[in-house]
Amino acid sequence: MSGFDKDLLVRELDVRSQEVGDSSIDLAAVKRRARRMQRRRALVGGTVAAVVAAVTVPVVMTLGLGLGIVEGPTDDPTVAAPPRTTLSTTSTTERPSDDTVRLSLDGLDRGAAPRIGYLDGSELITPDARGLTLDGRFSWITPYAQGWLAGSYDENGPRLNFLDAHGNLLRGQPGAGAVVNASGSQVAYVTAAESTNRTTQLVVAPTLGSEAGKLRVPVPADATPVGFLSDSAVVYGTDGERPEVFVATVAGSERVPGLLGASDATEHGLIAGATDRSDNGSCSAVVRADGFAQLWSTCDFSFEQFSPDGRYILATDAHRDGIGFGTLAILDAKTGAVVAHYQKQDRDMVHINAMTWEDDRHVLATVYDEGEWAVVRTDTRGSIELATVPVPGPDAECPLFFSLRP
């Protein structure tokens, strides 16, 4: 039995034990279901408008040797923020006690549709709010060569799929993941299919699709791209008995000491990743790309993505078990201070499948709650609202996936 199968079994047994552990009727749960039925009736009659910021920037990039890292942003005095817990650079992150927001679909107001692209089954919601039917089901997508580059997974592992502007499949090849730079002008992915001797390469390609503009760096077969530090510097991680993290440039790859895995990198000069992993949890740290000095660490959270402006970092449970996450936290990227914290309650059948930044202050997450999936919007102020109408679905099969963000 695989680790994933074990997680599913453990979670299912836990759920079933909660269901039969109390023979009395849960009146609060009945009220929640009634409110949800009323909300669904009100929402289904409306029109769902979705907006996506998935536009390829027509810029020809020059590949250089240096990292070209931009200094992180300063605090914006015009942006109000909730009270934060403080953190020294040597201590672990403290979670807020009074400002934690319940993570649930129950009773949420409907807000604007997602302002980034997302996949709903085999349909891509496009910038003009029309659905584009794709030639297959994919777990991520991004503009490429006047069409699309999308990811999928089959019995042989991850695949890269190249689609035309109408969503028709042009070709597919084995390849691990993809990341997009801040301007949306370049995409990086790992594949052996494009090398003459079938060695695995990290490919940095203009999203315009120019073959002549591609940068190729040899990498291990188990490499996966994580994020851009500059137009010519990409962070990638490797799996195996001893996972490692590297920065790849045209000069080759340089190992990032102290990290066992990377979550994200930002062109503001920071790398986030794990420093320790065990059956009981993990510890993570944010390090500077220039010199790899550690800024701060935590054993309370594991990391997801930096905000586009590099000011914040998304975080979730330090111990990831089961089929999803129970926590969405927004931390200060420079100090680790908790800015906003969303968490499911103990008895709620709630989990997050994926989360991503919508802009510098808002986060979208695909959330499952008692038989329904929806995209919710959270922010740095502790607000939460629905971004899509909840749809029915099993807990282990999320129908919604986000496009790659620049």
Side-chain angles (χ1 to χ4, degrees):
M1 180 181 293
S2 68
F4 181 71
D5 292 334
K6 290 179 181 177
D7 288 339
L8 287 177
L9 179 59
V10 170
R11 182 177 180 85
E12 185 66 19
L13 290 174
D14 179 64
V15 170
R16 296 293 178 258
S17 67
Q18 292 183 25
E19 289 177 348
V20 302
D22 187 354
S23 60
S24 63
I25 296 175
D26 187 347
L27 183 57
V30 173
K31 291 180 179 179
R32 288 199 302 271
R33 292 188 180 93
R35 287 196 298 270
R36 184 168 299 157
M37 291 174 66
Q38 293 173 337
R39 185 180 72 245
R40 190 184 302 118
R41 291 192 188 103
L43 290 176
V44 166
T47 300
V48 182
V51 180
V52 54
V55 180
T56 303
V57 180
V59 179
V60 178
M61 306 305 298
T62 301
L63 300 177
L65 288 172
L67 296 183
I69 294 169
V70 179
E71 284 296 322
T74 58
D75 288 342
D76 182 355
T78 65
V79 178
R84 306 177 184 180
T85 47
T86 59
L87 172 75
S88 71
T89 56
T90 58
S91 66
T92 59
T93 308
E94 298 178 4
R95 293 186 178 184
S97 57
D98 298 328
D99 297 328
T100 297
V101 179
R102 179 190 177 197
L103 180 66
S104 173
L105 302 182
D106 186 34
L108 296 184
D109 293 331
R110 176 68 191 280
R115 293 186 288 268
I116 66 171
Y118 66 96
L119 296 164
D120 185 351
S122 60
E123 188 175 40
L124 169 65
I125 308 302
T126 60
D128 55 7
R130 292 183 301 178
L132 176 64
T133 301
L134 305 175
D135 193 4
R137 296 173 69 95
F138 307 102
S139 57
W140 55 263
I141 194 167
T142 192
Y144 182 77
Q146 299 183 345
W148 308 94
L149 174 61
S152 62
Y153 196 92
D154 61 20
E155 64 275 8
N156 297 316
R159 289 186 64 80
L160 302 169
N161 304 276
F162 298 84
L163 313 174
D164 65 18
H166 303 290
N168 301 312
L169 181 64
L170 299 175
R171 71 181 190 279
Q173 63 189 40
V179 291
V180 181
N181 69 343
S183 67
S185 62
Q186 290 185 299
V187 61
Y189 54 87
V190 170
T191 186
E194 298 181 17
S195 62
T196 56
N197 57 2
R198 293 294 175 177
T199 58
T200 307
Q201 297 177 331
L202 173 71
V203 180
V204 182
T207 51
L208 291 176
S210 170
E211 290 293 323
K214 288 184 176 180
L215 165 68
R216 293 179 171 88
V217 180
V219 295
D222 58 355
T224 301
V226 172
F228 279 82
L229 289 173
S230 72
D231 292 331
S232 59
V234 178
V235 176
Y236 69 88
T238 61
D239 297 322
E241 275 188 34
R242 185 172 180 79
E244 294 180 302
V245 178
F246 298 86
V247 178
T249 66
V250 293
S253 297
E254 181 180 8
R255 189 176 71 86
V256 181
L259 292 185
L260 302 179
S263 305
D264 197 15
T266 171
E267 293 177 39
H268 296 282
L270 300 177
I271 302 171
T275 58
D276 180 66
R277 290 172 174 168
S278 69
D279 292 338
N280 299 320
S282 65
C283 295
S284 301
V286 171
V287 302
R288 292 190 181 277
D290 184 7
F292 304 135
Q294 187 178 116
L295 282 182
W296 56 275
S297 64
T298 176
C299 296
D300 290 332
F301 300 103
S302 60
F303 297 143
E304 289 292 311
Q305 298 175 345
F306 289 104
S307 59
D309 63 1
R311 182 174 178 179
Y312 304 110
I313 187 168
L314 265 178
T316 187
D317 311 300
H319 182 51
R320 301 188 182 192
D321 60 351
I323 56 176
F325 313 136
T327 300
L328 187 159
I330 300 174
L331 312 180
D332 186 295
K334 293 293 185 65
T335 67
V338 179
V339 177
H341 186 244
Y342 304 82
Q343 190 166 24
K344 82 176 191 70
Q345 294 182 355
D346 288 341
R347 293 185 62 85
D348 285 347
M349 306 290 186
V350 176
H351 67 261
I352 301 170
N353 183 68
M355 58 184 80
T356 191
W357 289 93
E358 185 179 36
D359 55 35
D360 291 339
R361 300 295 181 268
H362 296 88
V363 175
L364 298 175
T366 51
V367 176
Y368 172 86
D369 189 351
E370 294 186 10
E372 293 181 321
W373 285 97
V375 176
V376 303
R377 177 180 292 105
T378 64
D379 63 21
T380 55
R381 299 171 183 264
S383 299
I384 182 170
E385 65 183 11
L386 285 172
T388 65
V389 175
V391 295
D395 59 358
E397 297 179 17
C398 180
L400 305 168
F401 295 91
F402 297 118
S403 63
L404 298 185
R405 64 164 182 83

